[in-house]
Amino acid sequence: MPKSPEALLEFLGKLGIEAETHRHPALFTVSDSQSLRGEIPGGHTKNLFLKDKKDNFFLVTVDEDAQVDLKTIHHKIGAASRVSFGKPDKLMEYLGVEPGAVTVFGVVNDDQHRVTVVLDADLMDNDIINAHPLTNEATTSIGRDDLMRFLEAVEHQPLVLKVTE
């Protein structure tokens, strides 16, 4: 059973990580997010759940306005072949979220380490990173260094790479 948003926020608290969560109507696209979020400071994320032909899975987290070339990203992230989007059933199985709620926080549910986390270097220039806390009905703001501590705590060493155009 995947962790709930409340369990995620409790976990962050146990790690001593300060996170501020803003509730809002469900957001399904970057455009939705930009129009409804108000003035939440920091970098806002777009997340791509990708797989290669050898069933290696990647969670690529970039700035909401970033352009990603899906025809060439496999070279940058170390995929075995060109990538495609992972299926919703694998998204739920591995990250415990549904399409529209994909988030870097989903790796809290990946206790078998089946997903490689890739953070875009440009996104990591932000002091504050904003992502859905396992639901697209909220946005959680977390410090960049605290995001790295969270990923370390869930045993996911991210690749920090320039993956955007």
mmCIF file of all heavy atoms in Angstrom, residues 106-145:
data_model
loop_
_atom_site.group_PDB
_atom_site.id
_atom_site.type_symbol
_atom_site.label_atom_id
_atom_site.label_comp_id
_atom_site.label_asym_id
_atom_site.label_seq_id
_atom_site.Cartn_x
_atom_site.Cartn_y
_atom_site.Cartn_z
ATOM 1 N N GLY A 106 7.511 10.651 -4.871
ATOM 2 C CA GLY A 106 7.013 9.297 -5.084
ATOM 3 C C GLY A 106 8.019 8.219 -4.751
ATOM 4 O O GLY A 106 7.636 7.090 -4.428
ATOM 5 N N VAL A 107 9.303 8.545 -4.793
ATOM 6 C CA VAL A 107 10.306 7.510 -4.493
ATOM 7 C C VAL A 107 10.247 7.056 -3.046
ATOM 8 O O VAL A 107 10.853 6.047 -2.696
ATOM 9 C CB VAL A 107 11.731 7.929 -4.907
ATOM 10 C CG1 VAL A 107 11.832 8.071 -6.418
ATOM 11 C CG2 VAL A 107 12.183 9.173 -4.196
ATOM 12 N N VAL A 108 9.494 7.755 -2.207
ATOM 13 C CA VAL A 108 9.284 7.268 -0.835
ATOM 14 C C VAL A 108 8.612 5.891 -0.874
ATOM 15 O O VAL A 108 8.761 5.095 0.048
ATOM 16 C CB VAL A 108 8.471 8.281 0.011
ATOM 17 C CG1 VAL A 108 7.006 8.300 -0.400
ATOM 18 C CG2 VAL A 108 8.628 8.021 1.501
ATOM 19 N N ASN A 109 7.913 5.588 -1.962
ATOM 20 C CA ASN A 109 7.238 4.300 -2.126
ATOM 21 C C ASN A 109 8.073 3.270 -2.881
ATOM 22 O O ASN A 109 7.658 2.120 -2.995
ATOM 23 C CB ASN A 109 5.904 4.508 -2.855
ATOM 24 C CG ASN A 109 4.901 5.231 -1.992
ATOM 25 O OD1 ASN A 109 4.664 4.857 -0.856
ATOM 26 N ND2 ASN A 109 4.324 6.294 -2.535
ATOM 27 N N ASP A 110 9.214 3.655 -3.391
ATOM 28 C CA ASP A 110 10.050 2.759 -4.197
ATOM 29 C C ASP A 110 11.091 2.077 -3.310
ATOM 30 O O ASP A 110 12.282 2.290 -3.445
ATOM 31 C CB ASP A 110 10.721 3.544 -5.337
ATOM 32 C CG ASP A 110 11.542 2.647 -6.253
ATOM 33 O OD1 ASP A 110 11.251 1.434 -6.350
ATOM 34 O OD2 ASP A 110 12.501 3.168 -6.854
ATOM 35 N N ASP A 111 10.618 1.225 -2.409
ATOM 36 C CA ASP A 111 11.542 0.593 -1.463
ATOM 37 C C ASP A 111 12.400 -0.487 -2.098
ATOM 38 O O ASP A 111 13.364 -0.954 -1.504
ATOM 39 C CB ASP A 111 10.788 0.051 -0.242
ATOM 40 C CG ASP A 111 9.637 -0.872 -0.602
ATOM 41 O OD1 ASP A 111 9.473 -1.212 -1.784
ATOM 42 O OD2 ASP A 111 8.906 -1.257 0.327
ATOM 43 N N GLN A 112 12.097 -0.867 -3.335
ATOM 44 C CA GLN A 112 12.939 -1.840 -4.035
ATOM 45 C C GLN A 112 13.904 -1.170 -5.015
ATOM 46 O O GLN A 112 14.588 -1.841 -5.772
ATOM 47 C CB GLN A 112 12.068 -2.880 -4.728
ATOM 48 C CG GLN A 112 11.311 -3.728 -3.716
ATOM 49 C CD GLN A 112 10.564 -4.861 -4.368
ATOM 50 O OE1 GLN A 112 10.853 -5.272 -5.495
ATOM 51 N NE2 GLN A 112 9.582 -5.385 -3.674
ATOM 52 N N HIS A 113 13.911 0.147 -5.031
ATOM 53 C CA HIS A 113 14.870 0.938 -5.823
ATOM 54 C C HIS A 113 14.837 0.580 -7.306
ATOM 55 O O HIS A 113 15.862 0.366 -7.934
ATOM 56 C CB HIS A 113 16.283 0.791 -5.248
ATOM 57 C CG HIS A 113 16.311 1.058 -3.782
ATOM 58 N ND1 HIS A 113 16.309 0.065 -2.849
ATOM 59 C CD2 HIS A 113 16.281 2.223 -3.093
ATOM 60 C CE1 HIS A 113 16.297 0.582 -1.639
ATOM 61 N NE2 HIS A 113 16.270 1.896 -1.755
ATOM 62 N N ARG A 114 13.634 0.565 -7.848
ATOM 63 C CA ARG A 114 13.470 0.225 -9.257
ATOM 64 C C ARG A 114 13.508 1.450 -10.168
ATOM 65 O O ARG A 114 13.527 1.307 -11.384
ATOM 66 C CB ARG A 114 12.158 -0.530 -9.443
ATOM 67 C CG ARG A 114 12.167 -1.875 -8.695
ATOM 68 C CD ARG A 114 10.838 -2.533 -8.750
ATOM 69 N NE ARG A 114 9.931 -1.815 -7.865
ATOM 70 C CZ ARG A 114 8.791 -2.299 -7.399
ATOM 71 N NH1 ARG A 114 8.392 -3.494 -7.752
ATOM 72 N NH2 ARG A 114 8.030 -1.588 -6.601
ATOM 73 N N VAL A 115 13.494 2.637 -9.557
ATOM 74 C CA VAL A 115 13.432 3.876 -10.333
ATOM 75 C C VAL A 115 14.688 4.706 -10.081
ATOM 76 O O VAL A 115 15.066 4.933 -8.932
ATOM 77 C CB VAL A 115 12.171 4.688 -9.958
ATOM 78 C CG1 VAL A 115 12.120 6.000 -10.729
ATOM 79 C CG2 VAL A 115 10.900 3.865 -10.205
ATOM 80 N N THR A 116 15.315 5.146 -11.161
ATOM 81 C CA THR A 116 16.458 6.050 -11.065
ATOM 82 C C THR A 116 15.932 7.476 -11.098
ATOM 83 O O THR A 116 15.177 7.849 -12.004
ATOM 84 C CB THR A 116 17.428 5.830 -12.248
ATOM 85 O OG1 THR A 116 17.917 4.487 -12.194
ATOM 86 C CG2 THR A 116 18.590 6.808 -12.200
ATOM 87 N N VAL A 117 16.341 8.273 -10.115
ATOM 88 C CA VAL A 117 15.915 9.666 -10.040
ATOM 89 C C VAL A 117 16.927 10.528 -10.787
ATOM 90 O O VAL A 117 18.136 10.432 -10.549
ATOM 91 C CB VAL A 117 15.809 10.136 -8.573
ATOM 92 C CG1 VAL A 117 15.449 11.615 -8.504
ATOM 93 C CG2 VAL A 117 14.782 9.294 -7.824
ATOM 94 N N VAL A 118 16.424 11.378 -11.673
ATOM 95 C CA VAL A 118 17.250 12.324 -12.412
ATOM 96 C C VAL A 118 16.702 13.715 -12.130
ATOM 97 O O VAL A 118 15.537 14.004 -12.416
ATOM 98 C CB VAL A 118 17.239 12.039 -13.928
ATOM 99 C CG1 VAL A 118 18.110 13.048 -14.663
ATOM 100 C CG2 VAL A 118 17.680 10.609 -14.222
ATOM 101 N N LEU A 119 17.536 14.571 -11.560
ATOM 102 C CA LEU A 119 17.169 15.963 -11.295
ATOM 103 C C LEU A 119 17.902 16.844 -12.286
ATOM 104 O O LEU A 119 19.137 16.733 -12.427
ATOM 105 C CB LEU A 119 17.563 16.352 -9.869
ATOM 106 C CG LEU A 119 16.955 15.520 -8.744
ATOM 107 C CD1 LEU A 119 17.573 15.905 -7.406
ATOM 108 C CD2 LEU A 119 15.444 15.672 -8.706
ATOM 109 N N ASP A 120 17.178 17.710 -12.958
ATOM 110 C CA ASP A 120 17.822 18.612 -13.903
ATOM 111 C C ASP A 120 18.662 19.642 -13.164
ATOM 112 O O ASP A 120 18.211 20.236 -12.169
ATOM 113 C CB ASP A 120 16.786 19.309 -14.773
ATOM 114 C CG ASP A 120 17.444 20.143 -15.850
ATOM 115 O OD1 ASP A 120 18.231 19.580 -16.630
ATOM 116 O OD2 ASP A 120 17.189 21.359 -15.894
ATOM 117 N N ALA A 121 19.878 19.854 -13.624
ATOM 118 C CA ALA A 121 20.808 20.783 -12.970
ATOM 119 C C ALA A 121 20.225 22.191 -12.882
ATOM 120 O O ALA A 121 20.430 22.883 -11.873
ATOM 121 C CB ALA A 121 22.145 20.784 -13.710
ATOM 122 N N ASP A 122 19.498 22.620 -13.898
ATOM 123 C CA ASP A 122 18.910 23.967 -13.860
ATOM 124 C C ASP A 122 17.871 24.089 -12.745
ATOM 125 O O ASP A 122 17.801 25.111 -12.076
ATOM 126 C CB ASP A 122 18.265 24.319 -15.202
ATOM 127 C CG ASP A 122 19.283 24.562 -16.303
ATOM 128 O OD1 ASP A 122 20.500 24.684 -16.001
ATOM 129 O OD2 ASP A 122 18.869 24.624 -17.477
ATOM 130 N N LEU A 123 17.079 23.056 -12.528
ATOM 131 C CA LEU A 123 16.105 23.074 -11.437
ATOM 132 C C LEU A 123 16.814 23.221 -10.098
ATOM 133 O O LEU A 123 16.353 23.936 -9.207
ATOM 134 C CB LEU A 123 15.271 21.787 -11.445
ATOM 135 C CG LEU A 123 14.303 21.630 -10.264
ATOM 136 C CD1 LEU A 123 13.178 22.659 -10.348
ATOM 137 C CD2 LEU A 123 13.749 20.216 -10.208
ATOM 138 N N MET A 124 17.942 22.567 -9.970
ATOM 139 C CA MET A 124 18.664 22.566 -8.696
ATOM 140 C C MET A 124 19.364 23.892 -8.405
ATOM 141 O O MET A 124 19.961 24.060 -7.344
ATOM 142 C CB MET A 124 19.645 21.398 -8.645
ATOM 143 C CG MET A 124 18.956 20.036 -8.757
ATOM 144 S SD MET A 124 17.597 19.800 -7.587
ATOM 145 C CE MET A 124 18.519 19.596 -6.072
ATOM 146 N N ASP A 125 19.269 24.849 -9.313
ATOM 147 C CA ASP A 125 19.755 26.208 -9.034
ATOM 148 C C ASP A 125 18.810 26.949 -8.090
ATOM 149 O O ASP A 125 19.168 27.973 -7.532
ATOM 150 C CB ASP A 125 19.901 27.011 -10.336
ATOM 151 C CG ASP A 125 21.101 26.576 -11.155
ATOM 152 O OD1 ASP A 125 22.022 25.940 -10.598
ATOM 153 O OD2 ASP A 125 21.114 26.876 -12.366
ATOM 154 N N ASN A 126 17.591 26.440 -7.905
ATOM 155 C CA ASN A 126 16.605 27.061 -7.015
ATOM 156 C C ASN A 126 16.884 26.675 -5.571
ATOM 157 O O ASN A 126 17.189 25.518 -5.280
ATOM 158 C CB ASN A 126 15.188 26.605 -7.379
ATOM 159 C CG ASN A 126 14.744 27.137 -8.716
ATOM 160 O OD1 ASN A 126 14.381 28.297 -8.832
ATOM 161 N ND2 ASN A 126 14.769 26.287 -9.737
ATOM 162 N N ASP A 127 16.727 27.623 -4.653
ATOM 163 C CA ASP A 127 16.872 27.324 -3.232
ATOM 164 C C ASP A 127 15.682 26.526 -2.717
ATOM 165 O O ASP A 127 15.806 25.740 -1.783
ATOM 166 C CB ASP A 127 17.003 28.618 -2.412
ATOM 167 C CG ASP A 127 18.313 29.342 -2.684
ATOM 168 O OD1 ASP A 127 19.313 28.669 -3.033
ATOM 169 O OD2 ASP A 127 18.340 30.580 -2.559
ATOM 170 N N ILE A 128 14.505 26.756 -3.307
ATOM 171 C CA ILE A 128 13.277 26.067 -2.912
ATOM 172 C C ILE A 128 12.738 25.308 -4.120
ATOM 173 O O ILE A 128 12.675 25.838 -5.223
ATOM 174 C CB ILE A 128 12.212 27.067 -2.405
ATOM 175 C CG1 ILE A 128 12.722 27.804 -1.172
ATOM 176 C CG2 ILE A 128 10.894 26.352 -2.112
ATOM 177 C CD1 ILE A 128 11.824 28.947 -0.731
ATOM 178 N N ILE A 129 12.345 24.054 -3.875
ATOM 179 C CA ILE A 129 11.771 23.205 -4.916
ATOM 180 C C ILE A 129 10.334 22.896 -4.502
ATOM 181 O O ILE A 129 10.065 22.570 -3.344
ATOM 182 C CB ILE A 129 12.555 21.881 -5.060
ATOM 183 C CG1 ILE A 129 14.053 22.121 -5.227
ATOM 184 C CG2 ILE A 129 11.974 21.019 -6.181
ATOM 185 C CD1 ILE A 129 14.473 22.734 -6.516
ATOM 186 N N ASN A 130 9.410 22.982 -5.453
ATOM 187 C CA ASN A 130 7.993 22.709 -5.196
ATOM 188 C C ASN A 130 7.555 21.477 -5.973
ATOM 189 O O ASN A 130 7.816 21.373 -7.170
ATOM 190 C CB ASN A 130 7.148 23.904 -5.637
ATOM 191 C CG ASN A 130 7.460 25.132 -4.821
ATOM 192 O OD1 ASN A 130 7.098 25.226 -3.665
ATOM 193 N ND2 ASN A 130 8.161 26.091 -5.427
ATOM 194 N N ALA A 131 6.881 20.566 -5.262
ATOM 195 C CA ALA A 131 6.415 19.332 -5.888
ATOM 196 C C ALA A 131 5.136 18.870 -5.203
ATOM 197 O O ALA A 131 4.865 19.232 -4.053
ATOM 198 C CB ALA A 131 7.488 18.253 -5.774
ATOM 199 N N HIS A 132 4.382 18.050 -5.897
ATOM 200 C CA HIS A 132 3.182 17.473 -5.298
ATOM 201 C C HIS A 132 3.580 16.481 -4.204
ATOM 202 O O HIS A 132 4.486 15.668 -4.412
ATOM 203 C CB HIS A 132 2.351 16.730 -6.344
ATOM 204 C CG HIS A 132 1.692 17.595 -7.352
ATOM 205 N ND1 HIS A 132 0.946 18.702 -7.027
ATOM 206 C CD2 HIS A 132 1.647 17.494 -8.707
ATOM 207 C CE1 HIS A 132 0.466 19.248 -8.131
ATOM 208 N NE2 HIS A 132 0.889 18.544 -9.166
ATOM 209 N N PRO A 133 2.891 16.516 -3.065
ATOM 210 C CA PRO A 133 3.181 15.553 -1.990
ATOM 211 C C PRO A 133 2.345 14.265 -2.146
ATOM 212 O O PRO A 133 1.528 13.936 -1.288
ATOM 213 C CB PRO A 133 2.788 16.330 -0.730
ATOM 214 C CG PRO A 133 1.630 17.175 -1.189
ATOM 215 C CD PRO A 133 1.960 17.555 -2.627
ATOM 216 N N LEU A 134 2.526 13.567 -3.262
ATOM 217 C CA LEU A 134 1.838 12.318 -3.599
ATOM 218 C C LEU A 134 0.379 12.528 -3.994
ATOM 219 O O LEU A 134 -0.344 11.560 -4.197
ATOM 220 C CB LEU A 134 1.930 11.290 -2.451
ATOM 221 C CG LEU A 134 3.344 10.993 -1.944
ATOM 222 C CD1 LEU A 134 3.295 10.000 -0.788
ATOM 223 C CD2 LEU A 134 4.251 10.495 -3.059
ATOM 224 N N THR A 135 -0.034 13.776 -4.116
ATOM 225 C CA THR A 135 -1.374 14.112 -4.589
ATOM 226 C C THR A 135 -1.272 15.403 -5.391
ATOM 227 O O THR A 135 -0.463 16.273 -5.053
ATOM 228 C CB THR A 135 -2.377 14.299 -3.428
ATOM 229 O OG1 THR A 135 -3.626 14.757 -3.979
ATOM 230 C CG2 THR A 135 -1.895 15.306 -2.408
ATOM 231 N N ASN A 136 -2.099 15.524 -6.420
ATOM 232 C CA ASN A 136 -2.073 16.757 -7.202
ATOM 233 C C ASN A 136 -3.034 17.800 -6.637
ATOM 234 O O ASN A 136 -3.343 18.782 -7.275
ATOM 235 C CB ASN A 136 -2.358 16.481 -8.680
ATOM 236 C CG ASN A 136 -3.730 15.896 -8.939
ATOM 237 O OD1 ASN A 136 -4.481 15.603 -8.022
ATOM 238 N ND2 ASN A 136 -4.042 15.715 -10.202
ATOM 239 N N GLU A 137 -3.478 17.580 -5.405
ATOM 240 C CA GLU A 137 -4.334 18.546 -4.723
ATOM 241 C C GLU A 137 -3.557 19.382 -3.713
ATOM 242 O O GLU A 137 -4.157 20.031 -2.845
ATOM 243 C CB GLU A 137 -5.498 17.823 -4.045
ATOM 244 C CG GLU A 137 -6.414 17.158 -5.062
ATOM 245 C CD GLU A 137 -7.538 16.376 -4.424
ATOM 246 O OE1 GLU A 137 -7.443 16.011 -3.231
ATOM 247 O OE2 GLU A 137 -8.528 16.127 -5.134
ATOM 248 N N ALA A 138 -2.227 19.360 -3.822
ATOM 249 C CA ALA A 138 -1.385 20.150 -2.924
ATOM 250 C C ALA A 138 -0.019 20.334 -3.571
ATOM 251 O O ALA A 138 0.371 19.582 -4.470
ATOM 252 C CB ALA A 138 -1.236 19.473 -1.564
ATOM 253 N N THR A 139 0.684 21.352 -3.093
ATOM 254 C CA THR A 139 2.065 21.605 -3.500
ATOM 255 C C THR A 139 2.886 21.756 -2.229
ATOM 256 O O THR A 139 2.498 22.503 -1.332
ATOM 257 C CB THR A 139 2.166 22.894 -4.340
ATOM 258 O OG1 THR A 139 1.394 22.713 -5.534
ATOM 259 C CG2 THR A 139 3.607 23.222 -4.709
ATOM 260 N N THR A 140 4.004 21.040 -2.162
ATOM 261 C CA THR A 140 4.883 21.122 -1.000
ATOM 262 C C THR A 140 6.179 21.796 -1.416
ATOM 263 O O THR A 140 6.799 21.422 -2.412
ATOM 264 C CB THR A 140 5.161 19.723 -0.413
ATOM 265 O OG1 THR A 140 3.924 19.212 0.089
ATOM 266 C CG2 THR A 140 6.183 19.766 0.701
ATOM 267 N N SER A 141 6.559 22.805 -0.630
ATOM 268 C CA SER A 141 7.804 23.540 -0.841
ATOM 269 C C SER A 141 8.846 22.986 0.117
ATOM 270 O O SER A 141 8.593 22.842 1.316
ATOM 271 C CB SER A 141 7.596 25.029 -0.549
ATOM 272 O OG SER A 141 6.558 25.556 -1.349
ATOM 273 N N ILE A 142 10.023 22.688 -0.427
ATOM 274 C CA ILE A 142 11.105 22.104 0.352
ATOM 275 C C ILE A 142 12.419 22.725 -0.117
ATOM 276 O O ILE A 142 12.572 23.033 -1.304
ATOM 277 C CB ILE A 142 11.097 20.559 0.193
ATOM 278 C CG1 ILE A 142 12.132 19.882 1.094
ATOM 279 C CG2 ILE A 142 11.300 20.166 -1.250
ATOM 280 C CD1 ILE A 142 12.030 18.358 1.091
ATOM 281 N N GLY A 143 13.348 22.923 0.798
ATOM 282 C CA GLY A 143 14.654 23.442 0.415
ATOM 283 C C GLY A 143 15.392 22.446 -0.473
ATOM 284 O O GLY A 143 15.235 21.225 -0.322
ATOM 285 N N ARG A 144 16.182 22.962 -1.395
ATOM 286 C CA ARG A 144 16.956 22.108 -2.315
ATOM 287 C C ARG A 144 17.799 21.101 -1.543
ATOM 288 O O ARG A 144 17.822 19.910 -1.864
ATOM 289 C CB ARG A 144 17.839 22.984 -3.204
ATOM 290 C CG ARG A 144 18.832 22.213 -4.045
ATOM 291 C CD ARG A 144 19.884 23.107 -4.693
ATOM 292 N NE ARG A 144 20.557 23.889 -3.683
ATOM 293 C CZ ARG A 144 20.648 25.225 -3.693
ATOM 294 N NH1 ARG A 144 20.125 25.917 -4.673
ATOM 295 N NH2 ARG A 144 21.276 25.852 -2.724
ATOM 296 N N ASP A 145 18.522 21.559 -0.512
ATOM 297 C CA ASP A 145 19.379 20.655 0.252
ATOM 298 C C ASP A 145 18.550 19.638 1.020
ATOM 299 O O ASP A 145 18.966 18.489 1.192
ATOM 300 C CB ASP A 145 20.280 21.448 1.194
ATOM 301 C CG ASP A 145 21.263 22.341 0.426
ATOM 302 O OD1 ASP A 145 21.497 22.097 -0.784
ATOM 303 O OD2 ASP A 145 21.789 23.288 1.034
#
